[in-house]
Amino acid sequence: MDHSQDTALLTALMEAAADAIIVADDHGLMQRTNPAADRLFGYDEGTLIGQSVNVLMPKVLADLHDGFMSHHLKTGEKRIIGIGRDVEGQRKDGTVFPLHLSVGRADIAGTPMFIGILHNLTARRAAQEALARSQRLDAVGQLTGGIAHDFNNLLTVIIGNLELLQMRGVDERQTDLIDDALASAELGADLTSRLLVFARKGDLKPTRVDLRQQCRDALAILRRTIGERYTIRTEFAKTLSAVMVDPVQLQSALINLALNARDAMPNGGEFLISVADVRIDDEYMAQETDIEPGDYVRLFISDDGEGMSIDAQRRAFEPFFTTKADKGGTGLGLAMVYGFVRQSGGHITLYSELGHGTSFGLYFPALKNTNAAKGKLSGAEASDMPFGTGQVVLVVEDNPRVRRLSIERVRDLGYKTEEAENGDEAFALLSAGAQVDLVFSDLVMPGTLNGYDLAAKVRQEFPHIKILLTSGYASDVISGKMGGSADDRILHKPYRQSELAERLQALL
C-alpha cells in the first residue's frame, strides 16, 4: 500500500469512528480531528486544527496534562500512554462532561505524535447513578424485609396470647387493657405488612386490569374523602393496554398518592390523574426515566402544591422518611407505593419543584395483544428523524444533569446549542446579542422569569426567535396560575427523541 492509500484508509477510519479521535504533536497542538470529535466538543469542522488539546479540558486538568506530557517526553515513563483512564472534557460552550481517554504514541520521522481516542461517558455515568439509587433502595428493602418478618413472628405470639387471655374469662377492667393491647399489636402487624410490600416480599394477587377503571374506582372513594376545596381532573386515553397488577394494592397506592397530593395543598388546589400507553424505545428516554425499553402503561398523578426539596426527592421512597412527622406521618406511604410498583415489574418516577407541585409517574408493563397496536405507539426511526442544519437552539434548564442531557439530545439532531440555567439568564443572553434561532426552555425555573414569562418576553422583543417549552408535569396543572397562553404547546417530559425532532423541525 502506497502513502496515498495509507492516507485514504486513515481518513476513512477516522470519519467512520463513532468515538472522537484526535492526533496531536509533541507540543500538544492538534493536527487532525475526526467529525465525531468536532461534534463531541461543539466545534465547527476543522476549527480545532492547530489549537492546543488543553482547550478540550478544564483548566486544572490542562495544567496536569502539560506536566504529564513533559514528564513522559523527558523520561519515557507511561503514566497516560497506553493506559485508558476516565477524565473530564470541556466543550466549546464551557460545559464539562465525563470521558474515557486512551492515548497511543507513534514516532514519525523522529517526531513523537500522540493519538487520543475519547469515549463520551455521560450516558454510562447517568446509568450508574440510577443503578446506585436503585441498589440503595434494594438494600434498605432487604434489611426492612428481614426486620418486618421477625416482628411479625413476635406480634403473632403477642396477639395469640392476648386472645387466649380473652377466652379464659376476664373482668371488664382487664378486657379494656387487653383490647387496647390487641389494637396496638394489630396496628404493628399492619405496619410490618406494609414494610413487606416495600421489601417486595408481600403476597400480591395480580389480575388483568384496565388502569382507567381502577382510577375511576379510586376516585369514587377520594371524592368523598378529600373535600370540596380540591379539584380532581382526569385525562384517560381512549384506547389502553391492559396490565397485570394487584387491584387492591393499586387502589391503596392511588389513594396514598392522592392523599399526599392533598396534604401538599393545605389551602386547596387541583390535581390531575392521567393514563396512557407509552413506548420506551429511545436511549435518551430510558436514561431519563431509568426504565428498560419496552411497552408500558403510564399513570401520572400531579398536583400544584408545595413541591419537594431535592433532598426530599432523593429520599422520598425510603421507609420512615417523612416531612410530616409533626402531623402523624409514618414515612411508609411512598415506600409502600414504590415496593408495590417494583414488585409488579414496573417503575416509578418523581418530578417536583418547590412551590410549584409534584408529579409521580407509575409505569406498568403493558400486556401483549391488547388495544395498543405497536405501530401506533412507535415514533419515527432514527434514520427517518428530521435533522437540523446547524440552527442555534438556546437550552434553558435549571437542573444541571437534565440540561446536559437536553444539550446532547439537541446536538444529536444536527443543531448547535447555547445554554442558560434560568429564564433571567436566557433573556440576558438574548439581550446581549446572542444569535439564536429557537429557545427550548423548561417551564418551572427559579428566578423572576418562568418558562411562560420568558416566552412572552421573547415574542415581544425577539419575534423572529421560535419557542418550545417543556415540563415534567403530567399536564398543564400549573399553567393557570403561571400565566400560560394558548400559543404555548408543552413538550411533556419524558419525551422521545423523535418527538423532539418533529417539534424542532415544525418550528424551524
Side-chain angles (χ1 to χ4, degrees):
M1 229 187 277
D2 60 26
H3 178 71
S4 62
Q5 288 176 313
D6 285 343
T7 303
L9 180 60
L10 174 63
T11 300
L13 284 170
M14 291 187 71
E15 289 186 353
D19 283 339
I21 301 175
I22 294 168
V23 180
D25 63 17
D26 55 341
H27 297 294
L29 300 178
M30 288 175 274
Q31 305 301 308
R32 290 198 71 169
T33 61
N34 70 338
D38 298 327
R39 287 195 301 271
L40 179 61
F41 289 96
Y43 287 85
D44 293 332
E45 190 172 340
T47 56
L48 284 171
I49 306 302
Q51 294 197 60
S52 169
V53 293
N54 286 2
V55 302
L56 306 181
M57 58 190 86
K59 186 176 185 309
V60 173
L61 188 58
D63 294 342
L64 280 173
H65 172 262
D66 289 342
F68 286 144
M69 294 308 298
S70 175
H71 180 81
H72 169 72
L73 291 169
K74 285 177 185 174
T75 66
E77 187 179 333
K78 295 183 178 179
R79 291 190 181 178
I80 298 179
I81 312 303
I83 305 168
R85 66 192 307 162
D86 291 352
V87 297
E88 284 189 328
Q90 180 171 290
R91 295 190 176 93
K92 183 180 180 182
D93 61 13
T95 55
V96 174
F97 63 103
L99 286 170
H100 183 79
L101 168 65
S102 303
V103 181
R105 173 176 172 167
D107 290 294
I108 302 171
T111 302
M113 299 291 286
F114 299 94
I115 301 94
I117 300 175
L118 304 100
H119 179 69
N120 187 354
L121 294 179
T122 303
R124 186 193 299 177
R125 192 67 56 82
Q128 287 171 341
E129 289 173 2
L131 178 62
R133 286 196 302 272
S134 179
Q135 287 175 333
R136 185 164 68 94
L137 278 172
D138 283 347
V140 173
Q142 288 178 21
L143 175 65
T144 304
I147 293 170
H149 180 268
D150 289 348
F151 263 93
N152 262 344
N153 287 339
L154 294 172
L155 289 166
T156 299
V157 174
I158 292 168
I159 291 170
N161 279 299
L162 288 168
E163 286 175 339
L164 283 172
L165 278 173
Q166 270 186 331
M167 291 165 61
R168 289 180 181 179
V170 289
D171 62 36
E172 188 176 332
R173 187 177 167 203
Q174 290 169 326
T175 299
D176 290 343
L177 292 173
I178 292 172
D179 286 345
D180 286 348
L182 268 173
S184 297
E186 283 163 0
L187 181 59
D190 178 59
L191 286 173
T192 54
S193 69
R194 287 157 69 188
L195 283 172
L196 283 169
V197 172
F198 169 77
R200 290 176 241 162
K201 294 180 180 177
D203 292 327
L204 295 184
K205 298 184 176 87
T207 59
R208 186 187 184 106
V209 301
D210 181 328
L211 283 185
R212 294 168 300 188
Q213 187 55 49
Q214 295 298 314
C215 288
R216 291 186 190 106
D217 292 345
L219 287 173
I221 300 169
L222 284 168
R223 286 201 167 97
R224 292 193 298 268
T225 306
I226 63 170
E228 296 179 358
R229 290 184 300 164
Y230 301 92
T231 304
I232 305 174
R233 286 201 295 119
T234 58
E235 288 181 359
F236 296 157
K238 290 183 179 177
T239 59
L240 193 74
S241 299
V243 295
M244 284 291 289
V245 298
D246 183 326
V248 174
Q249 291 288 353
L250 177 63
Q251 293 278 318
S252 177
L254 285 169
I255 291 168
N256 225 311
L257 290 170
L259 293 179
N260 264 10
R262 179 199 64 183
D263 292 344
M265 301 181 288
N267 299 315
E270 175 179 86
F271 57 91
L272 172 124
I273 299 175
S274 71
V275 185
D277 282 313
V278 63
R279 171 171 285 180
I280 308 291
D281 62 350
D282 168 317
E283 64 174 304
Y284 284 118
M285 201 169 179
Q287 183 180 332
E288 189 174 341
T289 56
D290 183 26
I291 294 176
E292 291 292 321
D295 294 309
Y296 295 87
V297 179
R298 179 174 64 196
L299 165 64
F300 263 132
I301 295 187
S302 298
D303 67 66
D304 60 354
E306 297 169 340
M308 300 168 69
S309 68
I310 296 296
D311 181 60
Q313 290 177 55
R314 287 197 193 104
R315 302 186 60 194
F317 301 115
E318 292 180 11
F320 305 118
F321 174 77
T322 179
T323 57
K324 299 181 287 186
D326 57 329
K327 300 173 186 173
T330 62
L332 286 175
L334 290 180
M336 187 202 71
V337 174
Y338 174 86
F340 155 67
V341 173
R342 295 291 283 176
Q343 194 174 355
S344 302
H347 302 264
I348 186 166
T349 60
L350 166 60
Y351 179 88
S352 187
E353 297 269 2
L354 272 177
H356 289 286
T358 299
S359 184
F360 287 96
L362 279 58
Y363 293 76
F364 296 98
L367 293 178
K368 307 299 179 189
N369 303 319
T370 53
N371 294 334
K374 280 185 175 290
K376 290 181 182 176
L377 276 175
S378 179
E381 297 295 328
S383 59
D384 299 328
M385 273 190 226
F387 281 78
T389 53
Q391 297 101 319
V392 181
V393 176
L394 172 58
V395 177
V396 191
E397 167 65 59
D398 59 299
N399 184 307
R401 191 178 76 82
V402 177
R403 187 167 66 250
R404 286 195 299 270
L405 180 64
S406 301
I407 288 169
E408 196 172 332
R409 297 179 84 152
V410 171
R411 284 181 175 164
D412 276 2
L413 291 171
Y415 301 93
K416 296 177 183 176
T417 58
E418 297 287 344
E419 65 174 293
E421 63 180 53
N422 57 50
D424 300 324
E425 185 181 311
F427 191 73
L429 272 174
L430 296 173
S431 300
Q435 297 300 303
V436 170
D437 297 294
L438 181 141
V439 172
F440 180 36
S441 175
D442 191 26
L443 188 60
V444 180
M445 296 175 290
T448 57
L449 297 179
N450 63 42
Y452 286 134
D453 298 333
L454 175 63
K457 287 182 77 73
V458 169
R459 285 194 187 96
Q460 183 178 354
E461 301 289 332
F462 308 100
H464 64 285
I465 296 177
K466 305 297 183 184
I467 297 153
L468 176 60
L469 296 178
T470 182
S471 171
Y473 291 94
S475 185
D476 310 325
V477 140
I478 55 174
S479 297
K481 69 177 185 181
M482 290 182 70
S485 81
D487 297 329
D488 301 307
R489 288 188 60 230
I490 308 299
L491 178 62
H492 292 296
K493 302 174 187 174
Y495 49 82
R496 302 164 72 192
Q497 190 73 342
S498 57
E499 291 177 287
L500 176 62
E502 288 158 6
R503 288 287 189 97
L504 291 175
Q505 185 202 44
L507 287 165
L508 292 169

